Amino acid sequence: MDIFSCLLLGLSLSAPIGPINAAQLDRGIRGGFWPAWLLGLGAVMADIVYILLVYFGVVHFVNTPFVKSFLWLFGFFVLLYIGIESLLTAQKITLQETRSAESLSKSFAAGFFMSLSNPISILFWLGIYGSILAETAATYAPKELIIFSAAVLSGVLMWDITMASLASAFRRWLTVPLLKAISIISGLSLIGFGLYFGFEAAKVLFFR
C-alpha cells in the first residue's frame, strides 16, 4: 500500500455512477459549480465521519441485522426525498436562473446526509477500508496511516471537483428542455437508488 494506490482507491470509490454523482450533476446544471462542489464536499465530510468510526472500531456493530436494516431504511428515505425534490424543481428551471439561486448550505447538507445514509459508502469505509487499515497498521506507523487516509480522501476530492466543473461547464450549452430532462433523469435515478435501498431493508427485515 502506497500513497498513489490510496489516491486511486479514493477515485475508484467516487467514479462509479451513484446517488452522489447523480445529485452533483443535477446541482451543477441547475446552480453552477459551487452547489455541485459543496454537495460533494458534504459527502467527503461524511466519509471522514466513517474514517473516525473505523478508528474507534464499530465495524462489528454495523454488521448486526438491526443496524443494517436501519441504515438501508435511512438511505431509502433520504434518497427518495431528494429525488422527488429534484423532479419538482425540474419544472422551474430557466436559462435566466442565477447561480446564486441554489442554497449552498442546502447542497452541503444534502451531500453529507446522502453519503452518511448510503449503505454502499458504509460498507466501503467500515468494511473494505477497515480491512485495509487493519492490514497496513501491522506494517506502518500511525502517522503514515493518517497520510494514507488523507490520500484516499484526496482522490475523492479530485473526483468531486471534476464532476462539479463538468456539470457547471455543460450548463452553458444546454437548452431549457434538455436541462429539465437531465434534472428529471437525475431525480428518477435518485429515486431508483432509494427504492433499491428500501428493497435491501425489506430483505434484511423479512427474508433473513
Side-chain angles (χ1 to χ4, degrees):
M1 176 72 68
D2 54 29
I3 292 178
F4 181 71
S5 60
C6 288
L7 193 68
L8 286 178
L9 186 62
L11 284 169
S12 300
L13 170 66
S14 305
I17 297 300
I20 300 297
N21 283 345
Q24 266 195 297
L25 181 62
D26 180 52
R27 287 294 199 288
I29 287 173
R30 289 193 289 116
F33 174 84
W34 291 108
W37 182 71
L38 283 170
L39 185 140
L41 187 62
V44 173
M45 291 300 106
D47 293 340
I48 292 174
V49 171
Y50 287 128
I51 287 176
L52 294 174
L53 289 176
V54 168
Y55 278 98
F56 285 105
V58 299
V59 177
H60 298 296
F61 173 71
V62 171
N63 284 330
T64 61
F66 173 78
V67 175
K68 277 185 177 179
S69 61
F70 173 77
L71 293 173
W72 284 117
L73 282 173
F74 189 42
F76 165 72
F77 286 116
V78 170
L79 291 178
L80 206 64
Y81 171 78
I82 296 175
I84 292 172
E85 183 186 45
S86 180
L87 292 179
L88 294 176
T89 56
Q91 304 305 318
K92 303 174 184 177
I93 294 176
T94 65
L95 290 179
Q96 288 74 37
E97 188 179 44
T98 61
R99 293 179 184 269
S100 60
E102 182 73 21
S103 169
L104 299 182
S105 59
K106 187 176 181 181
S107 295
F108 180 87
F112 180 80
F113 285 110
M114 283 176 65
S115 183
L116 198 68
S117 64
N118 186 351
I120 296 172
S121 296
I122 295 168
L123 289 174
F124 174 84
W125 290 110
L126 301 188
I128 300 172
Y129 177 75
S131 301
I132 292 171
L133 195 67
E135 182 181 344
T136 54
T139 309
Y140 297 98
K143 184 185 294 186
E144 291 171 307
L145 293 179
I146 293 173
I147 293 173
F148 289 153
S149 299
V152 174
L153 288 172
S154 296
V156 175
L157 281 170
M158 285 173 59
W159 185 259
D160 174 28
I161 293 171
T162 301
M163 282 293 295
S165 300
L166 288 174
S168 59
F170 289 153
R171 182 175 185 263
R172 302 175 185 176
W173 309 102
L174 296 174
T175 62
V176 170
L178 194 52
L179 283 170
K180 290 182 178 180
I182 292 174
S183 190
I184 290 171
I185 292 171
S186 175
L188 291 174
S189 173
L190 292 171
I191 291 172
F193 281 112
L195 292 175
Y196 168 73
F197 288 177
F199 175 71
E200 290 297 323
K203 281 172 59 178
V204 175
L205 288 171
F206 303 113
F207 303 104
R208 290 189 282 160

